Amino acid sequence: MLDKTGIAKRIAKEVKDGMYINLGIGIPTLVANYIPTSLNVVLQSENGLLGIGPFPTEQEVDPDLINAGKQTITMMPGSALFSSAESFAMIRGGHVDLTILGAMEVSENGDIANWKVPGKMVKGMGGAMDLVASAKHIIVAMQHCSKEGASKLLRQCTLPITGIRCVKKIVSDLAVLDVLPEGGFKLLERAPGVTVTEIQQATAGKLIIEGEIPEMVF
Amino acid sequence: MLDKTGIAKRIAKEVKDGMYINLGIGIPTLVANYIPTSLNVVLQSENGLLGIGPFPTEQEVDPDLINAGKQTITMMPGSALFSSAESFAMIRGGHVDLTILGAMEVSENGDIANWKVPGKMVKGMGGAMDLVASAKHIIVAMQHCSKEGASKLLRQCTLPITGIRCVKKIVSDLAVLDVLPEGGFKLLERAPGVTVTEIQQATAGKLIIEGEIPEMVF
Amino acid sequence: MINKVVFGAEEAVRDIGDNAVLMLGGFGLCGIPENCIHALLKKGIKGLTCISNNAGVDDFGIGLLLKTRQVKKMISSYVGENAEFERQLLSGELEVELIPQGTLAERIRAGGAGIPAFFTPAGVGTEVATGKEVREFHGKKYLLEAWLRADFSIVKAWKGDTTGNLVYRGTARNFNPMMATAGKITIAEVEELVPVGELDPNYIHTPGIYVQRIFQGKNYEKRIEQRTLSK
Amino acid sequence: MINKVVFGAEEAVRDIGDNAVLMLGGFGLCGIPENCIHALLKKGIKGLTCISNNAGVDDFGIGLLLKTRQVKKMISSYVGENAEFERQLLSGELEVELIPQGTLAERIRAGGAGIPAFFTPAGVGTEVATGKEVREFHGKKYLLEAWLRADFSIVKAWKGDTTGNLVYRGTARNFNPMMATAGKITIAEVEELVPVGELDPNYIHTPGIYVQRIFQGKNYEKRIEQRTLSK
């Protein structure tokens, strides 16, 4: 079973040289720490920056330079700054190669729910609906089950959804799965120490298992 | 009867302090020469400049600095450069206060035809359709009649039109006229030496004459 | 050039009355018009509709106007970090309209650019689509969204000249440039007001045509929400 | 940062084939990609659809590609100054689609920004409206217009860095920034190619994400169409 760091490390392996990437808040933000330095990639922040750098030192802190999570950041050489309209033009136009974000639920046809829980205070969707409706490739970082043990990989989402038929890949604490265009979670890899049976029990949606399922290698 | 310079001079009197103005090619371009220097106005060029300055000296000529007529120009202090999309966002969004352009025909309900003559090579509408469809206030500079003596202020345009119900005011070689919202050319001023009868004869569309019509004062 | 300079924030907001529809620039607390917010607070006008990506925090930004119950409605994409906001929302004192961030940005741009409506994929199949026209283009579904315009747009820039040309700095740009285009009256407060001719025409973010009033603000706090340092 | 540098114009256009749909930046002869136009001429590919505000003059710009009959169709707002163009059009060898300039600019922006269609007032009641949906908003009529996208967008900038960030100069900016966003492959030729980090991130006109190939052009002629001097 993977902890948050493990999920982030496994997702980092999906990153390819030359990619422009948008990282959501939470686990996705951690992914940046594990992208091999041999790869040239550029991180987009939807509030208006291409080329997010490391967090600043005390001396470098600049209130005019934050990421979409409102954290202070720095810029890489070759960065570009722009407005929110331009930023979402980029996102909507399909110019960002990979979007990594968290989810509360994913359905077997790729619907995602990650913005609202009925009965709880609604904070808003922020940029999530634009990102999921527009991205060429979406990887979701999530817990396979709730704290109560209920599966979050479902036939249909129970929570209000953020976007339809958009998730392409899931990296959970238990497994790596593709969401197939025709529907269904195709099991690709098991987390270290996790059995196929455990994954089957934790997946309420249609799970597709073909041949031997390898354990993740980091 | 006014020559081109006269028309330009008379239109210049319509310019008010603080206006952003788009000047079309031809007579409208001449208007710039007669705007009193006491007025602060800014000229927009739809290819991407606010703050057109005078034509350059031989030393100042810069191939990267032209107006919408492809003429070399200079910039005034306080100018701003932008893309064609931003330029027409400005125009379409109603941020330009006054548009001055030429016309082949205007109808009594404010339709304008100025881009195409059947049988002749079509050069294209350029930005004219955007300008007439968007402008808050449009003044047309035109000849009242064709060389053959046919009126160009008509009940209905005979040429393919550029925009509907958009012209607010006309300054011709014979007269100044408002185009009324309910339809009709309301005669405001006569050109020096031109009689009301001459204007009546030269106007095929509905002409409205109320009271004494003064001669233009420059 | 046309001179747009006003004396300060109070003069800039002088004619904003009860029930006005305002746009306020900024993302989180980054790039918000601090001086004008304080002037609105002092002015005490009520019933405001505020179009702003966020709603500030309890004791800063738009949060200050919420505390004094000057805001009737917020139109935002994310209103996370504000306890007073939550209280008013749950009690029904405050109306909230949530809009996907990219749609919000584009609707504001459309307002400024004279485009009354456009199609966007964000929100298809979600509750955001309720009541909206859905149309398919090239095999993908899109929603029809309308422009947004405001009575007053209040933006914050880094530098500005006396004719209203603006330059933003860093990610403090965010929603400010589009909002500057979409107000009947646009008010710009800047950290540094410079004479006409000092800003390079090639690098102006907001051309002065969009700005009706400009002044140099003072005492910028520029509060940081998440001070995150590298280890 | 990602390195996008190619050796020169010929390498940049290497995979543009017959019948490709191209966008070419520029307004008149100002800000046109001179090096790539020459490379296309040399390459001799045919059947091109060229989306460009103008069509050059007889012996410069896109006019060169017209002379060699490499262009099947022009999509432009104004094609005034070109005798060969007129001959081909009248003889039916060349197709022309004329689009209002602002609509052309906005359709290209929409293509890059993932907006499949939008409403604009330009052309309402004219022959441009033929076959288009007309809808009224706030008492005014608008046409529905679709995005434009290209197989290759070819733009010209003043400065660019190795990761594709671009800065334009003067009114040579014109259609280049939108076109840069709307090509499946965007090729940028620049007068000066600089190392990453040399351009100020705050003043970049086209972020590198839009650009797939970049090179430093040579021998720019920058021909002037209307050399007009003050007396």
Side-chain angles (χ1 to χ4, degrees):
Chain A
M1 209 157 106
L2 301 179
D3 59 5
K4 288 180 179 183
T5 305
I7 294 174
K9 280 184 181 169
R10 179 59 191 81
I11 291 177
K13 290 184 66 185
E14 301 292 317
V15 171
K16 292 181 184 66
D17 194 44
M19 275 184 166
Y20 287 88
I21 307 172
N22 183 289
L23 300 176
I25 295 165
I27 298 177
T29 302
L30 297 177
V31 172
N33 302 332
Y34 305 106
I35 299 173
T37 51
S38 61
L39 298 186
N40 286 303
V41 300
V42 177
L43 303 180
Q44 201 240 19
S45 195
E46 66 260 31
N47 55 319
L49 171 64
L50 274 170
I52 306 175
F55 292 123
T57 62
E58 187 69 53
Q59 290 68 41
E60 289 169 331
V61 166
D62 180 346
D64 288 338
L65 215 51
I66 63 169
N67 64 18
K70 284 114 186 175
Q71 296 171 307
T72 45
I73 49 165
T74 59
M75 290 190 286
M76 301 292 285
S79 284
L81 293 153
F82 36 85
S83 73
S84 301
E86 181 69 41
S87 182
F88 282 93
M90 246 170 233
I91 289 167
R92 212 187 300 103
H95 302 281
V96 175
D97 300 299
L98 176 61
T99 293
I100 303 172
L101 74 178
M104 301 172 187
E105 292 178 352
V106 174
S107 78
E108 64 188 34
N109 66 358
D111 295 355
I112 180 171
N114 73 348
W115 79 283
K116 190 177 184 181
V117 178
K120 282 199 187 172
M121 165 71 180
V122 179
K123 297 189 168 189
M125 67 292 280
M129 285 194 183
D130 304 273
L131 282 160
V132 302
S134 309
K136 284 187 283 195
H137 188 37
I138 299 182
I139 302 177
V140 162
M142 67 187 296
Q143 303 302 319
H144 215 103
C145 297
S146 69
K147 280 172 197 154
E148 295 74 28
S151 177
K152 296 173 157 199
L153 279 68
L154 304 168
R155 292 197 57 130
Q156 283 197 303
C157 291
T158 65
L159 296 171
I161 64 171
T162 310
I164 53 171
R165 297 179 172 276
C166 53
V167 178
K168 299 286 196 300
K169 193 180 275 275
I170 296 169
V171 178
S172 78
D173 50 340
L174 302 185
V176 180
L177 312 100
D178 270 351
V179 183
L180 299 182
E182 65 272 23
F185 300 107
K186 181 165 187 196
L187 185 58
L188 301 178
E189 298 174 22
R190 298 172 290 113
V194 174
T195 66
V196 168
T197 311
E198 286 171 317
I199 295 165
Q200 282 177 309
Q201 285 166 350
T203 308
K206 182 180 175 188
L207 185 68
I208 295 156
I209 304 168
E210 285 175 4
E212 204 61 34
I213 306 298
E215 198 173 280
M216 291 175 200
V217 180
F218 286 89
Chain B
M1 209 157 103
L2 299 179
D3 59 6
K4 288 180 180 183
T5 304
I7 294 175
K9 280 185 181 166
R10 178 58 191 83
I11 291 178
K13 289 185 66 185
E14 299 293 317
V15 171
K16 293 185 183 63
D17 194 43
M19 276 187 167
Y20 287 88
I21 307 172
N22 183 290
L23 299 178
I25 296 167
I27 298 176
T29 303
L30 297 178
V31 173
N33 302 332
Y34 306 106
I35 299 172
T37 52
S38 62
L39 298 185
N40 285 303
V41 300
V42 177
L43 303 180
Q44 200 239 19
S45 194
E46 65 260 32
N47 56 319
L49 170 64
L50 274 170
I52 305 175
F55 293 124
T57 62
E58 187 68 54
Q59 288 70 41
E60 289 170 331
V61 166
D62 181 346
D64 289 339
L65 215 51
I66 62 169
N67 65 16
K70 283 112 185 173
Q71 297 172 307
T72 45
I73 49 165
T74 60
M75 291 189 286
M76 300 293 284
S79 283
L81 292 154
F82 36 83
S83 72
S84 301
E86 181 69 41
S87 182
F88 283 93
M90 245 170 233
I91 289 167
R92 211 189 297 105
H95 303 280
V96 175
D97 300 300
L98 175 60
T99 294
I100 302 172
L101 73 179
M104 302 173 189
E105 294 178 353
V106 174
S107 78
E108 64 188 35
N109 66 356
D111 296 355
I112 179 171
N114 73 349
W115 79 284
K116 190 178 182 178
V117 178
K120 282 201 189 172
M121 168 70 181
V122 179
K123 297 190 168 190
M125 67 292 280
M129 285 193 183
D130 305 274
L131 282 160
V132 301
S134 308
K136 284 186 283 194
H137 187 37
I138 298 182
I139 301 178
V140 162
M142 68 189 293
Q143 302 303 319
H144 215 103
C145 296
S146 68
K147 281 172 198 155
E148 295 74 28
S151 176
K152 296 173 157 199
L153 278 67
L154 305 168
R155 291 196 60 127
Q156 283 196 304
C157 291
T158 64
L159 296 171
I161 63 171
T162 310
I164 53 171
R165 297 180 171 280
C166 52
V167 177
K168 301 284 198 300
K169 194 179 275 273
I170 296 169
V171 178
S172 76
D173 50 340
L174 302 185
V176 180
L177 313 100
D178 271 350
V179 183
L180 299 182
E182 65 272 23
F185 302 106
K186 181 164 186 198
L187 185 59
L188 300 178
E189 297 174 24
R190 297 173 290 112
V194 175
T195 66
V196 168
T197 310
E198 284 170 318
I199 295 165
Q200 280 176 310
Q201 283 164 351
T203 307
K206 182 178 174 189
L207 186 69
I208 297 156
I209 303 165
E210 286 174 6
E212 204 61 33
I213 306 299
E215 197 174 277
M216 292 176 199
V217 180
F218 286 89
Chain C
M1 285 284 161
I2 303 158
N3 190 317
K4 318 270 182 79
V5 178
V6 296
F7 184 70
E10 286 173 42
E11 189 191 338
V13 306
R14 63 186 184 267
D15 50 358
I16 304 185
D18 289 349
N19 304 309
V21 176
L22 309 183
M23 289 186 185
L24 293 126
F27 181 95
L29 302 179
C30 183
I32 61 173
E34 297 184 16
N35 280 250
C36 283
I37 291 173
H38 282 283
L40 290 172
L41 197 67
K42 195 170 163 194
K43 202 171 154 70
I45 46 167
K46 304 277 184 193
L48 299 174
T49 294
C50 293
I51 302 170
S52 180
N53 189 55
N54 312 94
V57 295
D58 274 322
D59 61 345
F60 203 61
I62 295 177
L64 296 169
L65 300 173
L66 287 165
K67 215 178 218 168
T68 49
R69 311 272 298 277
Q70 293 177 254
V71 182
K72 180 179 67 181
K73 182 174 181 179
M74 283 297 313
I75 299 178
S76 305
S77 86
Y78 191 84
V79 290
E81 2 277 5
N82 199 312
E84 174 63 13
F85 183 97
E86 186 163 353
R87 194 197 61 70
Q88 289 184 24
L89 180 60
L90 294 173
S91 72
E93 294 163 64
L94 181 68
E95 251 183 284
V96 177
E97 188 180 337
L98 292 169
I99 298 177
Q101 197 173 133
T103 300
L104 180 62
E106 191 66 17
R107 286 178 66 184
I108 297 166
R109 182 202 176 260
I115 292 172
F118 60 90
F119 286 96
T120 178
V124 168
T126 76
E127 65 180 59
V128 165
T130 310
K132 287 176 187 153
E133 178 180 336
V134 182
R135 198 183 292 199
E136 196 170 306
F137 296 91
H138 315 290
K140 183 169 173 169
K141 290 197 171 71
Y142 295 82
L143 301 182
L144 186 67
E145 295 279 2
W147 74 20
L148 278 173
R149 291 180 158 186
D151 297 323
F152 294 87
S153 281
I154 306 176
V155 304
K156 153 74 170 50
W158 179 36
K159 292 184 182 181
D161 68 19
T162 55
T163 199
N165 292 308
L166 304 179
V167 170
Y168 307 94
R169 182 172 175 278
T171 57
R173 195 180 319 180
N174 55 63
F175 279 81
N176 285 297
M178 297 84 75
M179 288 184 172
T181 71
K184 273 178 217 152
I185 299 285
T186 291
I187 298 164
E189 57 173 88
V190 299
E191 290 179 55
E192 193 188 345
L193 185 64
V194 303
V196 145
E198 203 158 293
L199 300 176
D200 185 335
N202 215 36
Y203 300 117
I204 282 166
H205 296 136
T206 293
I209 191 172
Y210 295 119
V211 175
Q212 279 70 48
R213 300 172 193 168
I214 189 167
F215 68 95
Q216 182 169 312
K218 49 192 177 187
N219 305 323
Y220 282 104
E221 183 178 338
K222 292 196 180 184
R223 197 184 291 186
I224 292 171
E225 272 183 89
Q226 305 282 342
R227 190 182 194 86
T228 313
L229 303 177
S230 60
K231 283 139 207 164
Chain D
M1 284 285 158
I2 304 159
N3 190 316
K4 316 269 180 77
V5 179
V6 294
F7 183 70
E10 286 174 42
E11 190 191 337
V13 306
R14 63 185 182 268
D15 50 357
I16 304 185
D18 288 348
N19 303 309
V21 176
L22 309 183
M23 288 184 185
L24 293 125
F27 181 95
L29 302 178
C30 181
I32 62 172
E34 296 184 17
N35 280 248
C36 284
I37 290 173
H38 282 284
L40 291 172
L41 197 67
K42 196 171 160 192
K43 204 171 152 70
I45 46 166
K46 304 277 183 194
L48 299 174
T49 295
C50 293
I51 302 169
S52 180
N53 189 57
N54 311 92
V57 293
D58 274 321
D59 61 345
F60 203 62
I62 295 176
L64 297 170
L65 300 171
L66 287 165
K67 216 179 216 167
T68 50
R69 311 272 300 274
Q70 292 177 252
V71 182
K72 181 177 66 183
K73 182 174 180 178
M74 284 298 315
I75 299 178
S76 305
S77 86
Y78 190 83
V79 290
E81 3 275 4
N82 198 312
E84 174 62 15
F85 183 97
E86 187 165 352
R87 195 196 60 72
Q88 290 184 25
L89 181 61
L90 294 174
S91 72
E93 295 163 62
L94 180 68
E95 252 183 283
V96 177
E97 189 180 335
L98 292 171
I99 299 176
Q101 196 173 136
T103 300
L104 179 63
E106 191 65 17
R107 287 178 66 186
I108 297 167
R109 181 200 177 259
I115 291 171
F118 60 90
F119 286 95
T120 179
V124 167
T126 76
E127 65 180 57
V128 164
T130 310
K132 288 176 187 153
E133 180 179 335
V134 181
R135 199 183 290 199
E136 195 168 308
F137 296 90
H138 315 289
K140 182 169 174 168
K141 289 197 171 72
Y142 295 84
L143 300 182
L144 186 66
E145 294 280 2
W147 75 21
L148 277 173
R149 289 180 160 187
D151 298 322
F152 294 87
S153 281
I154 306 177
V155 303
K156 152 72 169 51
W158 178 37
K159 292 184 182 180
D161 68 19
T162 57
T163 201
N165 292 307
L166 303 179
V167 170
Y168 308 93
R169 182 171 175 280
T171 57
R173 194 181 319 179
N174 55 64
F175 279 81
N176 285 295
M178 297 84 77
M179 289 187 172
T181 71
K184 276 180 211 145
I185 300 285
T186 291
I187 298 164
E189 56 173 90
V190 298
E191 290 180 55
E192 193 186 348
L193 185 65
V194 303
V196 144
E198 203 158 291
L199 300 176
D200 186 334
N202 216 37
Y203 301 115
I204 283 167
H205 297 135
T206 293
I209 191 170
Y210 294 120
V211 176
Q212 280 69 48
R213 300 173 194 167
I214 189 168
F215 68 95
Q216 181 169 312
K218 50 190 177 192
N219 305 325
Y220 282 104
E221 183 178 336
K222 295 196 179 184
R223 198 183 291 184
I224 292 172
E225 273 182 87
Q226 305 282 344
R227 190 182 195 84
T228 314
L229 302 178
S230 60
K231 285 138 209 168

